[in-house]
Amino acid sequence: MDDGRTTRAAPNAGAAAPTRSEPLTREESARYARHLVLPEVGREGQERLKAARVLLVGAGGLGSPAALYLAAAGVGTLGIVDPDEVDVTNLQRQILHGTRAVGRPKVVSATARLSDINPHTRLETGAVRLASANALQIVSSFDVVVDGSDNFPTRYLVNDACVLTGRPNVYGSVHRWEGQLAVFATDGGPCYRCLFREPPPPGLIPNCAEAGVFGALPGVIGAAQAMETIKLILGVGEPLVGRLQIFDALTYRWRELEIRRDPDCPVCGDEPTQTGLIDYEVFCGVAPEPSDAESAVGSVEPDDLTAFLARDPRPFLLDVREPVEWSAMNLAHLGAVHVPMGQVGDRLEEIPTDRPVVVYCHSGVRSLEVAKLLVAEGYEDVRNLERGIVGVMG
């Protein structure tokens, strides 16, 4: 590894680079002086950090603080995969990126910032989405993987790729005011599938755009992911293996759940039934084959909603978002009735069967699931509002 050299190529394929000591330069010794006096780090530990290769999946809310602290700590090579561009809505939490980076690929913005944080860290970035076709090659070329993804297909993909390649998976997630943190896929330890065998139904758990997330929360969890990664590289302390930390930002309390390796886990169990990567979009129900119920669901474009509601008989407008979402913004002025998604099955008597029903949520994902449920319950004219309330309100 050449000091001060930065590459912008996609992460390389191949076997993981061995973590072997590389002598520190005089400049590096000065930069890491506060590490060198720590007995748990010292010069040998800092050289291990310099030789380490860490992959960050995502340069967003979690990947931002993790990347900053890993680079600052002297990790020799950081790989970053993220296919997205910087959006103005990212800026309240994704601290790798600034206002001038809006519209630029996140990996380009990240490269500029991290190169300034530590020019000794080599960056191997790719504006690509981690997928079943490339995950094993990419993951196998790193020592540790930090999962900063924000969707279930990628989380399961990262977990399975880490198990199959023998790489530790430093997991983090955030939702509204709550964060989670754990280390999966270590030798003899549990994996993400041991905790969450099956993904939740599509749309059941709103994403950050739908539910919101407090900006400083990913900073807490992402920095903790960096801490766990450094502990793994140094071989010090007690990593969060077999332990799930749950953080409540509103009360600033942490609680811990014990996680045991499931001997029947399909990926890391004693007799695994899955020995390769699968289609995780289908596995998580994001892109299933259209069902009869889904085929029977109609649609309404946002621009056509007002005219559609003027029909006789007047269609029933059903809002299936969470109460906090309804309070923040709703279509009550158009006659919308609020029944949260999780309560629809128990409150069918409130939804008429003698006129069309238009279902909406934030962006159209959860509402489609509810619309399919109504069709399965015998409702004859059910429409999903495409792009949800966002399409109406802008």
Side-chain angles (χ1 to χ4, degrees), residues 152-153 156 198-207 210 281-286 288 341 365-366 369-370 372:
F152 287 104
Y156 281 95
E198 301 289 343
L204 181 62
I205 299 178
N207 60 31
E210 297 171 334
E281 300 289 325
V282 172
F283 175 70
C284 292
V286 177
M341 178 180 182
V365 176
R366 286 172 286 169
E369 295 303 309
V370 172
K372 290 190 289 185

Side-chain angles (χ1 to χ4, degrees), residues 140-200:
S140 66
S141 67
F142 291 87
D143 303 319
V144 183
V145 177
V146 178
D147 183 3
S149 63
D150 62 357
N151 61 85
F152 287 104
T154 305
R155 286 177 189 152
Y156 281 95
L157 168 64
V158 169
N159 174 80
D160 294 0
C162 284
V163 172
L164 294 173
T165 58
R167 303 299 189 266
N169 170 18
V170 183
Y171 159 78
S173 70
V174 291
H175 179 72
R176 293 179 175 166
W177 296 87
E178 181 182 287
Q180 296 183 359
L181 179 71
V183 175
F184 294 118
T186 58
D187 186 20
C191 76
Y192 183 75
R193 293 264 201 123
C194 296
L195 179 63
F196 301 111
R197 175 68 71 90
E198 301 289 343

